[in-house]
């Protein structure tokens, strides 16, 4: 079974668009075997505002345990419901967390691969 993998990082719009066009061209020529999923942010502060330690804890907990609701998750984490709900919404908004057809929480990624360049 393939692991679901997402690349997270910082990338300006022009570079992201260029990578997209290059990938499109390779796909048209039949040179792509696997799809890649990228989640890019404009800058480090934006990335860190989404991927906080608490939100990473939410993702990790949901991957390890079958918790179907924000209430169950907040109880398991020992955190306030409202704060966990805010974290879940932020993670849903960027695609790191999703709800199933029945409304249960699900982390679709086995691997979140984050890369940061210290020098541009």
């Amino acid at each position: 079974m393939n692991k679901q993998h997402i690349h997270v990082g910082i990338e300006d719009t022009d570079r992201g668009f260029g990578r997209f066009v290059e990938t499109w061209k390779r796909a048209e020529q039949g040179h792509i075997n696997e799809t890649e999923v990228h989640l890019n942010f404009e800058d480090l502060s934006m990335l860190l505002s989404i991927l906080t330690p608490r939100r990473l804890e939410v993702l990790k907990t949901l991957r390890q345990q079958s918790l179907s609701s924000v209430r169950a998750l907040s109880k398991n984490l020992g955190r306030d419901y409202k704060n966990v709900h805010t974290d879940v919404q932020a993670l849903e908004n960027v695609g790191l967390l999703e709800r199933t057809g029945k409304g249960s929480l699900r982390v679709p990624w086995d691997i979140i691969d984050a890369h940061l360049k210290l020098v541009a």
Side-chain angles (χ1 to χ4, degrees), residues 116-120:
L116 306 172
K117 287 185 180 181
L118 296 177
V119 178

Side-chain angles (χ1 to χ4, degrees), residues 17-28:
F17 183 71
R19 186 173 39 77
F20 172 79
V21 169
E22 183 60 35
T23 302
W24 185 283
K25 289 177 184 177
R26 286 194 344 253
E28 285 183 327

Side-chain angles (χ1 to χ4, degrees), residues 72-90:
L73 179 60
S74 63
K75 261 181 110 171
N76 184 279
L77 293 170
R79 293 182 51 207
D80 179 69
Y81 173 88
K82 182 180 175 185
N83 293 333
V84 173
H85 185 269
T86 298
D87 289 344
V88 165
Q89 280 186 316

